[in-house]
Amino acid sequence: MAVLWTAVVVMAEGVAMSQTNMTTLLTNGPTSKRLNIVFFSEGYTIDDLSHFESDARVMLNRMLGTPPLKEYSSYFNAFCISVPSKQSGSDHYTPTTNLVDTFFDSRFDTSGVKRLLTISTTGRNRVNALLAQFMPEYDLAAVVVNDAQYGGSGGSILVASINGASAEVAIHEMGHTFAGLGDEYSYAGGTPRERPNTTQQTNLASIKWNAWIPTGTPIPTPDTSAYNNVVGLFRGAAYSTNYFRPKRTCMMQTLGAPFCEVCSETLIKTVYNKLGMVESYLPATNNVLKSTNDLAITFSLTTLSPATHSLKFQWFTNNVAVVGATSSVFSVSGFNLSLSGTNLIRADVADPTSLVRAAPTNMMMTSLSWKSSFVPLNPQVFVGANALRQSTLSWPTAAAGLYLEHTDDLVIGTWMPLMLISNQPSYIFLPIGQQGFYRLHR
């Protein structure tokens, strides 16, 4: 009987899988260069699937329309994977038992908590199999349950129903699933533990969000209206009165509230922990670039773009910041480099957002570096008046397009072009007694 049951399940799964398809909700760039959210249909029959995409879009728009993710919405792609269930809705155990046949095997009343909506181990395995098939580069998986009762859960896979408050549930659960945030209420619901926004520490120096706590704030902080807008240490979090949270009210405590400063910072840090700021760059960084006199090498970066503020650029040569080199494009020639031989060109790209106060430097900044070999083409030379023979100046092909210039006096003299260098390696003979300074220049 066990073998037959397994075969039936496999057959049923195969039928559903054959009717599965993926559609795009939001595209901001290649999946390898973006954070990818994938929504799955649960408890949608073939007829119900006509409104799954709109249900998922409601959740998506609310999630990415919520600060601080609104500022970084262009960093995300989103997709729908539609898979039919045999029946609509989800399992219920209160007030009466009502079980339905759904693909991901979802249920309310998990662990006796009515609003706790989860999927079974089989359901999680099926989500993971579909992700491997359709979107292995996913960053957040969310199961949308076609049931009007309020409920949801976090964990490795976000689960939320289509109740009127489902979008708020999805945002809250995204805090858990995407950023590892903890619940900020004290009533039972799980095992108390340290999270980015929950702690047992009462020593100011040991509180992980102390960068946000104003000087003079009482620790612990009184849970009164006088401290509504203050980051402090408020009692009650992580399902325990022995744990503390950063703010009186936050999305991780109350649906409909904004994320507090500490949770917002954690969300942004999670974005950059998963995704670099630079999408592409030229030239490649794995070759030594040759720089000669004023033949310029141009470097360019394509970066991600927050909604209302700009990333910060700074270019360096040999670890010295170049004044004014603060855009995504930078040009350097041999005349700009101080070392004969190998030089280092570096670009630092940083997000200067005020929403992050405590993060490793390399999390909020991306650095790229190139090596340039500076080979002077016939460097600036002086030919003396007492030359006993003709002086010869020569140059290789790479000098094509430069002028050979001359001046009598480096201090007050004017450089005068003598000739435009051709495309072929060549040379010039200087008559005896023709003194002065010579250089190759544009």
Side-chain angles (χ1 to χ4, degrees):
M1 288 295 292
V3 175
L4 178 60
W5 179 83
T6 301
V8 170
V9 170
V10 171
M11 287 176 62
E13 182 179 352
V15 171
M17 293 282 256
S18 69
Q19 297 172 315
T20 299
N21 62 82
M22 184 174 76
T23 58
T24 300
L25 292 178
L26 175 68
T27 301
N28 279 307
T31 55
S32 61
K33 302 294 179 66
R34 290 296 187 275
L35 299 173
N36 302 297
I37 304 175
V38 184
F39 295 92
F40 291 87
S41 60
E42 163 65 347
Y44 289 79
T45 65
I46 291 177
D47 292 336
D48 294 331
L49 283 174
S50 61
H51 62 85
F52 165 56
E53 184 174 323
S54 63
D55 291 341
R57 194 176 293 279
V58 167
M59 284 192 185
L60 172 67
N61 291 342
R62 244 339 244 111
M63 291 161 73
L64 297 187
T66 299
L69 295 181
K70 182 177 182 179
E71 182 69 6
Y72 298 93
S73 59
S74 66
Y75 289 34
F76 288 83
N77 293 330
F79 307 88
C80 276
I81 293 183
S82 301
V83 53
S85 292
K86 288 185 177 181
Q87 294 178 289
S88 299
S90 183
D91 291 348
H92 293 263
Y93 292 85
T94 58
T96 59
T97 299
N98 181 33
L99 307 182
V100 293
D101 187 353
T102 60
F103 187 73
F104 296 110
D105 193 22
S106 63
R107 59 168 289 175
F108 286 88
D109 307 287
T110 303
S111 301
V113 180
K114 186 174 183 177
R115 70 180 183 282
L116 189 54
L117 172 61
T118 62
I119 59 175
S120 67
T121 299
T122 297
R124 290 193 296 274
N125 290 338
R126 289 178 174 181
V127 167
N128 291 330
L130 287 167
L131 288 169
Q133 179 181 350
F134 287 95
M135 185 54 62
E137 292 179 305
Y138 82 98
D139 295 279
L140 178 65
V143 174
V144 182
V145 182
N146 185 31
D147 195 297
Q149 181 170 304
Y150 165 76
S153 63
S156 60
I157 298 169
L158 186 157
V159 182
S161 73
I162 59 168
N163 178 274
S166 65
E168 294 296 317
V169 174
I171 295 165
H172 173 94
E173 300 301 341
M174 185 179 187
H176 293 308
T177 302
F178 181 70
L181 295 171
D183 283 318
E184 294 183 3
Y185 44 77
S186 58
Y187 52 84
T191 302
R193 58 179 292 190
E194 293 281 328
R195 296 280 193 175
N197 60 324
T198 65
T199 188
Q200 280 189 301
Q201 294 288 343
T202 56
N203 183 307
L204 179 60
S206 300
I207 299 171
K208 54 182 78 96
W209 57 81
N210 58 24
W212 288 99
I213 300 176
T215 302
T217 302
I219 302 297
T221 310
D223 199 351
T224 65
S225 60
Y227 295 94
N228 277 351
N229 298 316
V230 175
V231 176
L233 192 73
F234 296 88
R235 184 176 294 278
Y239 328 113
S240 171
T241 55
N242 295 322
Y243 275 71
F244 298 86
R245 64 189 189 276
K247 202 94 179 260
R248 284 197 79 204
T249 305
C250 172
M251 169 61 76
M252 298 313 295
Q253 179 198 48
T254 306
L255 294 183
F259 284 110
C260 72
E261 290 87 339
V262 174
C263 291
S264 292
E265 178 181 79
T266 303
L267 284 161
I268 295 171
K269 287 160 64 174
T270 302
V271 167
Y272 283 125
N273 192 45
K274 292 174 175 285
L275 195 65
M277 298 176 189
V278 178
E279 286 193 279
S280 61
Y281 50 86
L282 288 173
T285 58
N286 56 350
N287 295 316
V288 176
L289 308 170
K290 296 198 180 296
S291 176
T292 56
N293 285 16
D294 71 342
L295 292 177
I297 302 172
T298 298
F299 303 84
S300 63
L301 307 175
T302 302
T303 64
L304 296 169
S305 300
T308 63
H309 74 279
S310 299
L311 299 182
K312 183 179 178 181
F313 300 89
Q314 180 61 62
W315 293 86
F316 299 78
T317 58
N318 297 315
N319 294 317
V320 176
V322 179
V323 176
T326 56
S327 73
S328 60
V329 178
F330 175 63
S331 292
V332 63
S333 72
F335 291 136
N336 303 129
L337 299 175
S338 59
L339 300 178
S340 179
T342 300
N343 291 258
L344 181 70
I345 293 90
R346 188 179 90 236
D348 286 353
V349 186
D351 187 337
T353 177
S354 61
L355 298 178
V356 175
R357 291 186 181 180
T361 300
N362 61 356
M363 179 179 288
M364 298 302 293
M365 182 175 72
T366 297
S367 292
L368 292 170
S369 59
W370 296 259
K371 289 182 178 180
S372 174
S373 178
F374 176 34
V375 182
L377 283 179
N378 189 43
Q380 182 174 292
V381 295
F382 173 70
V383 177
N386 297 320
L388 299 178
R389 57 183 177 79
Q390 286 183 321
S391 297
T392 303
L393 300 179
S394 60
W395 49 85
T397 305
L402 298 181
Y403 283 92
L404 177 65
E405 296 182 339
H406 169 265
T407 186
D408 292 318
D409 192 318
L410 280 178
V411 178
I412 61 175
T414 300
W415 287 98
M416 299 296 294
L418 295 180
M419 63 181 293
L420 178 66
I421 306 304
S422 68
N423 290 325
Q424 299 299 321
S426 191
Y427 55 87
I428 184 173
F429 293 106
L430 303 178
I432 295 175
Q434 186 172 336
Q435 68 176 6
F437 292 90
Y438 295 84
R439 73 176 186 184
L440 294 173
H441 203 264
R442 288 204 183 283

